[in-house]
Amino acid sequence: GAEYVRPLTELLSVTTEAQSAAVGGRPVDVAALQSAVAAVEEVDRRYGDELRTLERWTAIKQGVGDLTSRSWPVPSAAFAQYSDLVTQMIELTRKVGDESRLILDPELDGYYLTNAAMLRIPDILVDSGRYLDLSVLAGSPGEDEVTRAQLTTARNRVASNAADLGDGLVKALGSTRSDTLGAGLTRPLDEFRTAVDTVAPSNSLLAPAPQGSAGELRTEQDELQRSSLALQRAALSELGSLLETRRGGVERTRLLALLVVVLALVVLAGVLAWLWRTRPGSFPTPQEPDPSGRHTRLSRTAPGGPAGAPTELVGAGGRQHGGGGRAAR
């Protein structure tokens, strides 16, 4: 899951840039999109069956090809079509999180790293791109109050998701046993917060509309995209280290359990062998020796004889005497 979401988020970022270019009437960087699609295609080839992403990814790949082959004389149409595509990418990211079970991590540090990398950062990339595009559309003739309300909502979502992300990573830093988590996340998190404060300084729905020019907003958006991706790479790297450490612990536990089972089987085998040797009848009954040293005498009840009349059998060459007779010695 961690390996899949990295190139998928890169594609998401490039797609939001393509959306902004189409809305702003600028050329779309088709080569960057194709390169990002190829990276996701490679990871999907390795993990798609296990994560069950083939159907969603095929639809997204087709959508990227369709949108990049078109021109967009109407900016609002470009915004609507690209918004549908990035929404599909967000849904695929959620699918990867569900199927990989990363979002169910029981450890706080792993959980909040996953929350940042797989949930909050993709949403921030999408909403910050929409914020920029809606700022352009809001200044176009004929745009209504609905567009301005969407702009405010997008800015609010950027600020809210950034606050949730930051709070979660602070909790991760406070609960982790990792020696590298703090050093690996502190600088990317600080740069990310600075970029968020520039784009969406408040999550209040009453905050004033952006006052900068489209060029300034685009520069701020580019910085937020860059810092978001850098923070995600750092979070995924630390998450990978945590998972490797945890896997090593699991393997040691399994080895210990195997040794315990082997030892138990050895002990059980020894006990069973001892019981077999000491069971009744495991040794021959001693025979009564002949006083002469020549014969062995066995006593039994003669079949068919009178009850209580023992018959004495004497070894080879001896005589047999009935009840009451004197045995030859």
Side-chain angles (χ1 to χ4, degrees):
E3 289 190 36
Y4 196 110
V5 76
R6 188 194 302 270
L8 181 58
T9 307
E10 296 280 353
L11 174 61
L12 179 65
S13 177
V14 174
T15 304
T16 59
E17 293 175 0
Q19 173 181 298
S20 297
V23 170
R26 303 187 308 277
V28 172
D29 191 345
V30 177
L33 277 169
Q34 291 175 341
S35 177
V37 166
V40 180
E41 179 73 11
E42 172 60 26
V43 76
D44 188 80
R45 186 178 300 112
R46 285 185 285 149
Y47 302 116
D49 289 340
E50 186 175 357
L51 296 174
R52 296 191 289 183
T53 57
L54 180 60
E55 182 178 352
R56 291 177 185 268
W57 168 239
T58 301
I60 289 172
K61 183 169 57 173
Q62 182 64 42
V64 171
D66 292 342
L67 294 186
T68 55
S69 64
R70 298 172 56 183
S71 58
W72 302 98
V74 180
S76 59
F79 177 80
Q81 293 295 317
Y82 272 96
S83 290
D84 289 343
L85 180 60
V86 297
T87 297
Q88 293 179 47
M89 294 181 185
I90 289 290
E91 291 172 351
L92 178 56
T93 303
R94 302 289 195 270
K95 176 73 171 177
V96 171
D98 290 340
E99 294 295 335
S100 64
R101 304 293 190 271
L102 278 175
I103 60 174
L104 302 177
D105 198 305
E107 300 292 338
L108 283 181
D109 49 4
Y111 172 81
Y112 283 115
L113 286 173
T114 302
N115 176 68
M118 302 193 75
L119 300 178
R120 303 307 166 195
I121 287 177
D123 282 347
I124 289 170
L125 291 173
V126 171
D127 288 319
S128 62
R130 288 174 177 171
Y131 176 64
L132 171 62
D133 300 337
L134 289 167
S135 300
V136 173
L137 293 175
S140 302
E143 292 300 328
D144 53 18
E145 292 299 324
V146 174
T147 301
R148 293 181 175 84
Q150 290 174 335
L151 185 152
T152 303
T153 301
R155 178 184 58 202
N156 174 265
R157 284 173 55 84
V158 170
S160 297
N161 279 315
D164 181 88
L165 181 154
D167 291 344
L169 290 184
V170 169
K171 292 177 182 178
L173 294 174
S175 64
T176 188
R177 294 189 294 268
S178 171
D179 296 330
T180 64
L181 188 60
L185 288 182
T186 300
R187 181 174 179 180
L189 180 58
D190 289 343
E191 292 179 351
F192 168 78
R193 283 171 162 169
T194 300
V196 169
D197 289 341
T198 302
V199 174
S202 172
N203 61 1
S204 172
L205 293 175
L206 301 178
Q211 300 298 320
S213 65
E216 291 172 339
L217 291 175
R218 188 159 57 248
T219 299
E220 294 170 355
Q221 161 67 7
D222 289 344
E223 178 60 25
L224 179 54
Q225 295 261 335
R226 185 201 65 77
S227 62
S228 297
L229 292 174
L231 179 58
Q232 189 200 48
R233 285 191 290 269
L236 289 175
S237 177
E238 293 299 327
L239 179 62
S241 297
L242 291 177
L243 294 177
E244 283 295 327
T245 301
R246 195 180 305 171
R247 182 170 64 179
V250 170
E251 290 175 350
R252 287 191 295 272
T253 301
R254 288 175 176 171
L255 178 60
L256 179 61
L258 179 61
L259 292 176
V260 170
V261 170
V262 171
L263 179 60
L265 291 175
V266 171
V267 172
L268 179 61
V271 171
L272 292 176
W274 180 80
L275 291 175
W276 177 266
R277 289 195 301 270
T278 60
R279 80 188 194 284
S282 59
F283 297 99
T285 302
Q287 296 176 332
E288 183 179 349
D290 185 348
S292 67
R294 295 174 300 170
H295 307 291
T296 298
R297 184 175 62 186
L298 300 176
S299 297
R300 64 179 178 84
T301 301
T311 300
E312 194 170 272
L313 302 179
V314 185
R319 291 179 297 168
Q320 181 176 1
H321 298 273
R326 189 165 60 88
R329 300 295 183 184

Coordinates of all heavy atoms in Angstrom, one line a residue, residues 106-192:
P106 N -2.7 -0.4 14.3 CA -3.0 -0.3 15.7 C -2.0 0.6 16.5 O -2.4 1.0 17.6 CB -2.9 -1.7 16.2 CG -1.9 -2.4 15.3 CD -2.1 -1.7 14.0
E107 N -0.8 0.9 15.9 CA 0.1 1.8 16.6 C -0.1 3.2 16.3 O -0.4 3.5 15.1 CB 1.5 1.4 16.2 CG 1.9 -0.1 16.6 CD 2.0 -0.3 18.1 OE1 2.2 0.7 18.8 OE2 1.9 -1.5 18.5
L108 N 0.0 4.1 17.3 CA -0.4 5.5 17.0 C 0.5 6.1 16.0 O 0.1 6.9 15.1 CB -0.3 6.3 18.3 CG -1.5 6.1 19.3 CD1 -1.3 7.0 20.5 CD2 -2.8 6.5 18.6
D109 N 1.8 5.9 16.1 CA 2.7 6.5 15.1 C 2.4 6.1 13.7 O 2.3 6.9 12.8 CB 4.2 6.3 15.5 CG 4.5 4.8 15.7 OD1 3.6 4.0 15.6 OD2 5.7 4.5 16.1
G110 N 2.2 4.8 13.5 CA 1.9 4.3 12.2 C 0.6 4.8 11.7 O 0.4 5.1 10.5
Y111 N -0.4 4.8 12.6 CA -1.8 5.3 12.2 C -1.7 6.8 11.7 O -2.3 7.1 10.7 CB -2.7 5.2 13.4 CG -4.0 5.8 13.2 CD1 -5.0 5.2 12.4 CD2 -4.3 7.1 13.6 CE1 -6.3 5.8 12.2 CE2 -5.5 7.7 13.4 CZ -6.5 7.1 12.7 OH -7.7 7.7 12.4
Y112 N -1.0 7.6 12.4 CA -1.0 9.0 12.1 C -0.2 9.3 10.8 O -0.4 10.2 10.1 CB -0.6 9.9 13.3 CG -1.7 10.1 14.3 CD1 -1.6 9.6 15.5 CD2 -2.9 10.7 13.9 CE1 -2.7 9.7 16.5 CE2 -4.0 10.9 14.8 CZ -3.8 10.3 16.1 OH -4.9 10.5 17.0
L113 N 0.9 8.5 10.7 CA 1.6 8.6 9.4 C 0.8 8.2 8.2 O 0.8 8.9 7.2 CB 2.9 7.8 9.5 CG 4.0 8.2 10.4 CD1 5.1 7.2 10.5 CD2 4.6 9.5 9.8
T114 N 0.0 7.2 8.4 CA -0.9 6.8 7.3 C -2.0 7.8 7.1 O -2.3 8.1 5.9 CB -1.5 5.4 7.7 OG1 -0.5 4.4 7.9 CG2 -2.4 4.9 6.5
N115 N -2.5 8.3 8.1 CA -3.5 9.4 8.0 C -3.0 10.6 7.2 O -3.7 11.1 6.3 CB -3.9 9.8 9.4 CG -4.9 11.0 9.4 OD1 -6.1 10.9 8.9 ND2 -4.5 12.2 9.8
A116 N -1.8 11.0 7.5 CA -1.2 12.1 6.7 C -0.9 11.7 5.3 O -1.3 12.5 4.4 CB 0.1 12.5 7.4
A117 N -0.3 10.6 5.0 CA 0.2 10.3 3.7 C -0.9 9.8 2.8 O -0.9 10.1 1.6 CB 1.3 9.2 3.8
M118 N -1.9 9.1 3.3 CA -2.9 8.5 2.4 C -4.3 9.2 2.4 O -5.1 9.0 1.5 CB -3.1 7.0 2.8 CG -1.9 6.2 2.7 SD -2.1 4.4 2.8 CE -2.8 4.1 1.2
L119 N -4.5 10.0 3.4 CA -5.8 10.7 3.5 C -5.7 12.2 3.4 O -6.3 12.8 2.5 CB -6.5 10.3 4.8 CG -6.8 8.8 5.1 CD1 -7.4 8.6 6.4 CD2 -7.6 8.2 4.0
R120 N -4.9 12.8 4.3 CA -4.9 14.3 4.3 C -4.2 14.9 3.2 O -4.7 15.9 2.6 CB -4.3 14.8 5.7 CG -5.0 14.2 6.9 CD -6.5 14.5 6.8 NE -7.3 13.7 7.8 CZ -8.6 13.5 7.8 NH1 -9.3 14.1 6.8 NH2 -9.2 12.8 8.7
I121 N -3.0 14.4 2.9 CA -2.2 15.1 1.8 C -2.9 15.0 0.4 O -3.0 16.0 -0.3 CB -0.8 14.5 1.8 CG1 0.0 15.0 3.0 CG2 -0.1 14.9 0.5 CD1 1.4 14.5 3.1
P122 N -3.4 13.8 0.0 CA -4.2 13.8 -1.3 C -5.3 14.8 -1.3 O -5.6 15.5 -2.3 CB -4.6 12.3 -1.4 CG -3.6 11.6 -0.6 CD -3.2 12.4 0.6
D123 N -6.1 14.9 -0.2 CA -7.2 15.8 -0.1 C -6.7 17.3 -0.2 O -7.3 18.1 -0.9 CB -8.0 15.7 1.2 CG -8.9 14.5 1.1 OD1 -9.1 13.9 0.0 OD2 -9.4 14.1 2.2
I124 N -5.6 17.6 0.4 CA -5.0 18.9 0.4 C -4.6 19.3 -1.1 O -4.8 20.4 -1.5 CB -3.9 19.1 1.4 CG1 -4.5 19.1 2.8 CG2 -3.1 20.3 1.1 CD1 -3.4 19.0 3.9
L125 N -4.0 18.3 -1.7 CA -3.6 18.6 -3.1 C -4.8 18.9 -4.0 O -4.7 19.8 -4.8 CB -2.8 17.3 -3.7 CG -1.5 17.0 -3.1 CD1 -0.9 15.7 -3.6 CD2 -0.5 18.1 -3.4
V126 N -5.8 18.1 -3.8 CA -7.0 18.4 -4.7 C -7.7 19.7 -4.3 O -8.0 20.5 -5.2 CB -8.0 17.2 -4.5 CG1 -9.3 17.5 -5.2 CG2 -7.4 15.9 -5.1
D127 N -7.9 19.9 -3.0 CA -8.6 21.1 -2.6 C -7.8 22.4 -2.9 O -8.4 23.4 -3.2 CB -9.0 21.0 -1.2 CG -10.1 20.0 -0.9 OD1 -11.1 20.0 -1.7 OD2 -10.1 19.3 0.1
S128 N -6.5 22.3 -2.7 CA -5.7 23.5 -3.0 C -5.7 23.8 -4.5 O -5.8 25.0 -4.9 CB -4.3 23.3 -2.5 OG -3.6 22.3 -3.2
G129 N -5.7 22.8 -5.4 CA -5.8 23.0 -6.8 C -7.2 23.6 -7.2 O -7.3 24.5 -8.0
R130 N -8.2 23.1 -6.5 CA -9.6 23.6 -6.8 C -9.7 25.1 -6.3 O -10.4 25.9 -6.9 CB -10.6 22.7 -6.1 CG -10.8 21.4 -6.8 CD -11.7 20.5 -6.0 NE -12.0 19.2 -6.8 CZ -12.6 18.2 -6.3 NH1 -13.0 18.2 -5.0 NH2 -12.7 17.1 -7.0
Y131 N -9.0 25.3 -5.2 CA -9.1 26.7 -4.7 C -8.5 27.7 -5.7 O -9.0 28.8 -5.9 CB -8.3 26.7 -3.3 CG -8.1 28.1 -2.7 CD1 -9.3 28.8 -2.3 CD2 -6.9 28.6 -2.5 CE1 -9.1 30.0 -1.7 CE2 -6.7 29.9 -1.9 CZ -7.9 30.6 -1.5 OH -7.7 31.8 -0.9
L132 N -7.3 27.3 -6.2 CA -6.7 28.2 -7.2 C -7.6 28.3 -8.5 O -7.8 29.4 -9.0 CB -5.4 27.6 -7.7 CG -4.7 28.2 -8.9 CD1 -4.3 29.7 -8.6 CD2 -3.4 27.4 -9.3
D133 N -8.2 27.2 -8.9 CA -9.0 27.3 -10.2 C -10.3 28.0 -9.9 O -10.7 28.8 -10.8 CB -9.3 25.8 -10.6 CG -8.0 25.1 -10.9 OD1 -7.0 25.7 -11.2 OD2 -8.1 23.8 -10.9
L134 N -10.9 27.8 -8.8 CA -12.1 28.6 -8.5 C -11.9 30.1 -8.3 O -12.7 30.9 -8.5 CB -12.8 28.0 -7.2 CG -13.4 26.6 -7.4 CD1 -13.8 26.0 -6.1 CD2 -14.7 26.7 -8.3
S135 N -10.7 30.4 -7.8 CA -10.3 31.8 -7.7 C -10.3 32.4 -9.1 O -10.7 33.6 -9.3 CB -8.9 32.0 -7.1 OG -8.9 31.4 -5.8
V136 N -9.8 31.7 -10.1 CA -9.8 32.2 -11.5 C -11.2 32.3 -12.0 O -11.6 33.3 -12.6 CB -8.9 31.2 -12.4 CG1 -9.0 31.6 -13.8 CG2 -7.4 31.3 -11.9
L137 N -12.0 31.2 -11.8 CA -13.4 31.2 -12.3 C -14.2 32.3 -11.6 O -15.1 32.9 -12.2 CB -14.0 29.8 -12.0 CG -13.4 28.7 -12.8 CD1 -14.1 27.4 -12.4 CD2 -13.6 28.9 -14.3
A138 N -13.9 32.6 -10.3 CA -14.7 33.6 -9.6 C -14.5 35.0 -10.2 O -15.4 35.8 -10.1 CB -14.4 33.6 -8.1
G139 N -13.4 35.2 -10.8 CA -13.2 36.5 -11.5 C -13.6 36.6 -12.9 O -13.5 37.6 -13.5
S140 N -14.1 35.5 -13.4 CA -14.6 35.5 -14.8 C -16.0 36.0 -14.9 O -16.8 35.9 -14.0 CB -14.6 34.0 -15.4 OG -13.3 33.5 -15.3
P141 N -16.3 36.7 -16.0 CA -17.7 37.2 -16.2 C -18.7 36.1 -16.2 O -18.5 35.0 -16.7 CB -17.6 37.9 -17.5 CG -16.2 38.2 -17.8 CD -15.4 37.1 -17.1
G142 N -19.8 36.4 -15.5 CA -20.9 35.4 -15.6 C -20.9 34.4 -14.5 O -21.8 33.6 -14.3
E143 N -19.8 34.3 -13.7 CA -19.8 33.4 -12.6 C -20.6 33.8 -11.5 O -20.7 35.0 -11.1 CB -18.3 33.1 -12.2 CG -17.5 32.4 -13.2 CD -18.0 31.1 -13.6 OE1 -18.6 30.4 -12.7 OE2 -17.8 30.7 -14.7
D144 N -21.3 32.9 -10.8 CA -22.3 33.3 -9.8 C -21.8 33.1 -8.4 O -20.6 32.8 -8.2 CB -23.6 32.5 -10.0 CG -23.4 31.0 -10.0 OD1 -22.3 30.6 -9.6 OD2 -24.3 30.3 -10.5
E145 N -22.6 33.3 -7.4 CA -22.2 33.1 -6.0 C -21.9 31.7 -5.6 O -21.2 31.4 -4.7 CB -23.4 33.6 -5.1 CG -23.6 35.1 -5.2 CD -22.4 35.9 -4.7 OE1 -21.7 35.4 -3.8 OE2 -22.1 37.0 -5.3
V146 N -22.4 30.7 -6.4 CA -22.1 29.3 -6.1 C -20.6 29.1 -6.3 O -20.0 28.4 -5.5 CB -22.9 28.4 -7.1 CG1 -22.5 27.0 -6.9 CG2 -24.4 28.6 -6.8
T147 N -20.0 29.7 -7.3 CA -18.6 29.5 -7.5 C -17.8 30.1 -6.3 O -16.8 29.5 -5.8 CB -18.1 30.1 -8.8 OG1 -18.8 29.6 -9.9 CG2 -16.7 30.0 -9.0
R148 N -18.2 31.2 -5.9 CA -17.5 31.8 -4.7 C -17.7 31.0 -3.4 O -16.8 30.9 -2.6 CB -18.0 33.3 -4.5 CG -17.7 34.2 -5.6 CD -18.2 35.6 -5.4 NE -17.7 36.5 -6.4 CZ -18.3 36.7 -7.6 NH1 -19.4 36.0 -7.9 NH2 -17.8 37.5 -8.5
A149 N -18.9 30.4 -3.3 CA -19.1 29.5 -2.1 C -18.2 28.3 -2.2 O -17.7 27.8 -1.2 CB -20.6 29.1 -2.1
Q150 N -18.1 27.7 -3.4 CA -17.2 26.6 -3.6 C -15.7 26.9 -3.3 O -15.0 26.1 -2.7 CB -17.3 26.1 -5.1 CG -18.6 25.4 -5.4 CD -18.8 25.0 -6.8 OE1 -18.1 25.6 -7.7 NE2 -19.6 24.1 -7.1
L151 N -15.3 28.1 -3.7 CA -14.0 28.6 -3.4 C -13.7 28.6 -1.9 O -12.7 28.2 -1.4 CB -13.8 30.0 -4.0 CG -12.4 30.6 -4.0 CD1 -12.2 31.6 -5.1 CD2 -12.2 31.4 -2.7
T152 N -14.7 29.2 -1.2 CA -14.6 29.3 0.3 C -14.5 27.9 0.9 O -13.7 27.7 1.8 CB -15.7 30.1 0.9 OG1 -15.8 31.4 0.3 CG2 -15.6 30.2 2.4
T153 N -15.3 27.0 0.4 CA -15.3 25.6 0.9 C -14.0 25.0 0.7 O -13.5 24.3 1.6 CB -16.5 24.8 0.3 OG1 -17.7 25.5 0.6 CG2 -16.5 23.4 0.8
A154 N -13.4 25.1 -0.5 CA -12.2 24.5 -0.8 C -11.1 25.0 0.1 O -10.2 24.3 0.6 CB -11.8 24.7 -2.3
R155 N -11.0 26.3 0.3 CA -10.0 26.9 1.2 C -10.2 26.4 2.6 O -9.2 26.1 3.3 CB -10.2 28.5 1.2 CG -9.2 29.2 2.1 CD -9.4 30.7 2.1 NE -10.8 30.9 2.5 CZ -11.4 32.1 2.2 NH1 -10.8 33.0 1.5 NH2 -12.7 32.3 2.6
N156 N -11.4 26.3 3.1 CA -11.7 25.8 4.4 C -11.2 24.3 4.6 O -10.7 24.0 5.6 CB -13.2 25.9 4.7 CG -13.6 25.2 6.0 OD1 -14.0 24.1 6.0 ND2 -13.5 26.0 7.1
R157 N -11.4 23.5 3.5 CA -11.0 22.1 3.6 C -9.5 22.0 3.6 O -8.9 21.2 4.3 CB -11.6 21.4 2.4 CG -13.0 21.0 2.5 CD -13.6 20.4 1.2 NE -12.8 19.3 0.8 CZ -13.0 18.0 1.3 NH1 -13.9 17.8 2.2 NH2 -12.2 17.0 0.8
V158 N -8.8 22.9 2.9 CA -7.3 22.9 2.9 C -6.8 23.2 4.4 O -6.0 22.4 4.9 CB -6.7 23.9 2.0 CG1 -5.2 24.1 2.2 CG2 -7.0 23.5 0.5
A159 N -7.4 24.2 5.0 CA -7.0 24.6 6.3 C -7.3 23.5 7.3 O -6.5 23.2 8.2 CB -7.6 25.9 6.7
S160 N -8.5 22.9 7.2 CA -9.0 21.9 8.2 C -8.1 20.7 8.1 O -7.7 20.1 9.1 CB -10.5 21.6 8.0 OG -11.3 22.7 8.2
N161 N -7.9 20.2 6.8 CA -7.1 19.0 6.7 C -5.7 19.2 7.1 O -5.0 18.3 7.7 CB -7.1 18.5 5.2 CG -8.4 17.8 4.9 OD1 -8.8 16.9 5.6 ND2 -9.0 18.1 3.7
A162 N -5.1 20.4 6.9 CA -3.8 20.7 7.3 C -3.7 20.7 8.8 O -2.7 20.2 9.4 CB -3.3 22.0 6.7
A163 N -4.7 21.2 9.5 CA -4.7 21.2 11.0 C -4.8 19.8 11.5 O -4.0 19.4 12.4 CB -5.8 22.1 11.5
D164 N -5.6 19.0 10.9 CA -5.7 17.6 11.3 C -4.4 16.8 11.1 O -4.0 16.1 12.0 CB -6.9 16.9 10.6 CG -7.1 15.5 11.0 OD1 -7.8 15.2 11.9 OD2 -6.5 14.6 10.3
L165 N -3.8 17.1 10.0 CA -2.6 16.4 9.6 C -1.5 16.8 10.7 O -0.8 15.9 11.2 CB -2.1 16.8 8.2 CG -0.8 16.2 7.7 CD1 -0.9 16.2 6.1 CD2 0.4 17.0 8.1
G166 N -1.4 18.1 10.9 CA -0.3 18.5 11.9 C -0.5 18.0 13.3 O 0.4 17.5 13.9
D167 N -1.8 18.0 13.7 CA -2.1 17.5 15.1 C -1.7 16.0 15.1 O -1.2 15.5 16.1 CB -3.5 17.7 15.4 CG -3.9 19.2 15.6 OD1 -2.9 20.0 15.8 OD2 -5.1 19.5 15.6
G168 N -2.1 15.3 14.1 CA -1.8 13.8 14.1 C -0.3 13.5 14.1 O 0.1 12.6 14.8
L169 N 0.5 14.3 13.3 CA 1.9 14.0 13.3 C 2.6 14.4 14.6 O 3.5 13.7 15.0 CB 2.6 14.7 12.1 CG 2.2 14.2 10.7 CD1 3.0 15.0 9.7 CD2 2.5 12.7 10.6
V170 N 2.1 15.4 15.3 CA 2.6 15.7 16.6 C 2.3 14.6 17.6 O 3.2 14.2 18.4 CB 1.9 17.1 17.1 CG1 2.3 17.3 18.6 CG2 2.5 18.2 16.3
K171 N 1.1 14.0 17.5 CA 0.8 12.8 18.3 C 1.7 11.6 18.0 O 2.2 10.9 18.9 CB -0.6 12.4 18.2 CG -1.6 13.4 18.7 CD -3.0 13.0 18.5 CE -4.0 14.1 18.9 NZ -5.4 13.7 18.6
A172 N 2.0 11.5 16.7 CA 2.9 10.4 16.3 C 4.3 10.6 16.9 O 4.9 9.7 17.4 CB 3.0 10.3 14.8
L173 N 4.8 11.8 16.8 CA 6.1 12.1 17.4 C 6.1 11.9 18.9 O 7.2 11.5 19.4 CB 6.5 13.6 17.1 CG 6.7 13.9 15.6 CD1 6.9 15.4 15.4 CD2 7.9 13.2 15.0
G174 N 5.0 12.1 19.6 CA 5.0 12.0 21.0 C 4.8 10.5 21.5 O 5.2 10.2 22.6
S175 N 4.4 9.6 20.6 CA 4.1 8.3 21.0 C 5.1 7.2 20.4 O 5.1 6.1 20.8 CB 2.7 7.9 20.6 OG 2.6 7.9 19.1
T176 N 5.9 7.7 19.5 CA 6.8 6.7 18.8 C 8.0 6.3 19.6 O 8.5 7.0 20.4 CB 7.2 7.3 17.4 OG1 7.9 6.3 16.6 CG2 8.2 8.4 17.7
R177 N 8.5 5.1 19.3 CA 9.7 4.6 19.8 C 10.8 4.7 18.7 O 12.0 4.2 19.0 CB 9.6 3.1 20.2 CG 8.6 2.9 21.4 CD 8.7 1.5 22.0 NE 8.1 0.6 21.0 CZ 6.9 0.2 20.9 NH1 6.0 0.7 21.8 NH2 6.4 -0.7 20.0
S178 N 10.5 5.2 17.6 CA 11.5 5.4 16.5 C 12.5 6.4 16.8 O 12.2 7.5 17.3 CB 10.8 5.7 15.2 OG 11.7 6.0 14.2
D179 N 13.8 6.2 16.5 CA 14.8 7.2 16.7 C 14.9 8.2 15.5 O 15.6 9.2 15.7 CB 16.2 6.4 16.8 CG 16.2 5.5 18.0 OD1 15.5 5.9 19.0 OD2 16.9 4.5 18.0
T180 N 14.2 7.9 14.4 CA 14.4 8.7 13.2 C 13.1 9.6 12.9 O 13.2 10.4 12.0 CB 14.8 7.9 12.0 OG1 13.7 7.0 11.7 CG2 16.0 7.1 12.3
L181 N 12.0 9.3 13.5 CA 10.8 9.9 13.1 C 10.8 11.4 13.3 O 10.4 12.1 12.4 CB 9.6 9.3 13.9 CG 8.2 9.7 13.5 CD1 8.0 9.3 12.0 CD2 7.2 9.1 14.4
G182 N 11.3 11.8 14.4 CA 11.3 13.3 14.7 C 12.2 14.0 13.7 O 11.8 15.0 13.1
A183 N 13.4 13.5 13.5 CA 14.3 14.2 12.6 C 13.9 14.1 11.1 O 14.1 15.0 10.4 CB 15.7 13.5 12.7
G184 N 13.1 13.0 10.8 CA 12.7 12.9 9.4 C 11.5 13.7 9.1 O 11.3 14.0 7.9
L185 N 10.7 14.1 10.1 CA 9.4 14.8 9.8 C 9.4 16.3 10.2 O 8.6 17.1 9.6 CB 8.3 14.1 10.5 CG 7.8 12.8 10.0 CD1 6.6 12.3 10.8 CD2 7.4 12.9 8.5
T186 N 10.3 16.7 11.1 CA 10.2 18.1 11.6 C 10.3 19.1 10.5 O 9.5 20.0 10.4 CB 11.3 18.3 12.7 OG1 11.1 17.3 13.7 CG2 11.2 19.7 13.2
R187 N 11.4 19.1 9.7 CA 11.6 20.1 8.7 C 10.5 20.1 7.6 O 9.9 21.1 7.3 CB 13.0 20.0 8.1 CG 13.2 21.0 7.0 CD 14.7 20.9 6.5 NE 14.9 21.9 5.5 CZ 16.1 22.1 4.9 NH1 17.1 21.3 5.3 NH2 16.3 23.0 4.0
P188 N 10.2 18.9 7.0 CA 9.1 18.9 6.0 C 7.8 19.4 6.6 O 7.0 20.1 5.9 CB 9.0 17.4 5.6 CG 10.3 16.8 5.9 CD 10.8 17.6 7.1
L189 N 7.5 19.1 7.8 CA 6.2 19.5 8.4 C 6.2 21.0 8.6 O 5.2 21.7 8.3 CB 6.0 18.8 9.8 CG 4.7 19.2 10.5 CD1 3.5 18.9 9.7 CD2 4.6 18.5 11.9
D190 N 7.3 21.6 9.0 CA 7.4 23.1 9.2 C 7.2 23.8 7.8 O 6.5 24.8 7.7 CB 8.7 23.5 9.8 CG 8.8 23.1 11.2 OD1 7.8 22.8 11.9 OD2 10.0 23.0 11.8
E191 N 7.9 23.3 6.8 CA 7.7 23.9 5.4 C 6.3 23.7 4.9 O 5.8 24.7 4.3 CB 8.7 23.2 4.5 CG 10.2 23.5 4.8 CD 11.1 22.8 3.8 OE1 10.6 22.0 3.0 OE2 12.3 23.1 3.9
F192 N 5.7 22.6 5.2 CA 4.3 22.4 4.8 C 3.4 23.4 5.5 O 2.5 24.0 4.9 CB 3.9 21.0 5.1 CG 2.4 20.7 5.0 CD1 1.8 20.5 3.8 CD2 1.6 20.6 6.2 CE1 0.4 20.2 3.7 CE2 0.3 20.4 6.1 CZ -0.3 20.2 4.8

